[in-house]
Amino acid sequence: MTVVNLEAGMPTVATAQSLLSQSLRTAKANGTRLVKLIHGYGSTGKGGAIRGAVRRELADRKRRGQITAFIPGEEFSPFDEDTRKALSRHPDLAKDRDYSRQNHGITIVVL
């Protein structure tokens, strides 16, 4: 799994979105099937602008068939259907430190 830190250096939303697009293209070109995005949760306690923009972009990419699934960190557990599907194809995903920790600051992307 490739890990991409979208919040490093406190970028603008546009910069983070650009890094997201570039990282997903690179991962797909390299045959990587899983990408863990670190986008942070935001300081307001309601979720940050980068987090929201990233998840909207991923939902759009899923609708267009560009990604298989994305798993918000707070749902990344054995109780989530997309997580179970990803685990069936990638069992090592259960060893990730954020598995079952309800981390709102990450999202797992299945390419």
Side-chain angles (χ1 to χ4, degrees), residues 41 51 55 72-77 79 97-106:
Y41 182 59
R51 175 182 177 254
R55 292 196 176 164
E74 60 272 20
E75 297 174 17
F76 183 40
S77 76
F79 304 106
R97 63 181 233 131
D98 288 307
Y99 182 62
S100 288
R101 295 190 71 199
Q102 300 180 339
N103 183 345
H104 293 258
I106 64 119

Side-chain angles (χ1 to χ4, degrees), residues 7-86:
E7 69 173 351
M10 298 179 61
T12 63
V13 171
T15 300
Q17 286 178 305
S18 178
L19 178 58
L20 168 66
S21 294
Q22 176 187 351
S23 298
L24 293 179
R25 277 193 308 273
T26 300
K28 198 168 244 188
N30 291 336
T32 301
R33 304 304 306 154
L34 298 170
V35 177
K36 180 179 183 177
L37 302 173
I38 301 171
H39 45 65
Y41 182 59
S43 59
T44 64
K46 298 178 186 175
I50 291 174
R51 175 182 177 254
V54 163
R55 292 196 176 164
R56 285 189 297 276
E57 175 69 21
L58 293 174
D60 188 48
R61 286 174 182 260
K62 183 177 178 185
R63 275 191 300 277
R64 293 188 320 231
Q66 294 176 344
I67 62 172
T68 301
F70 70 96
I71 306 162
E74 60 272 20
E75 297 174 17
F76 183 40
S77 76
F79 304 106
D80 176 69
E81 182 178 346
D82 285 332
T83 303
R84 287 192 305 271
K85 286 179 184 177

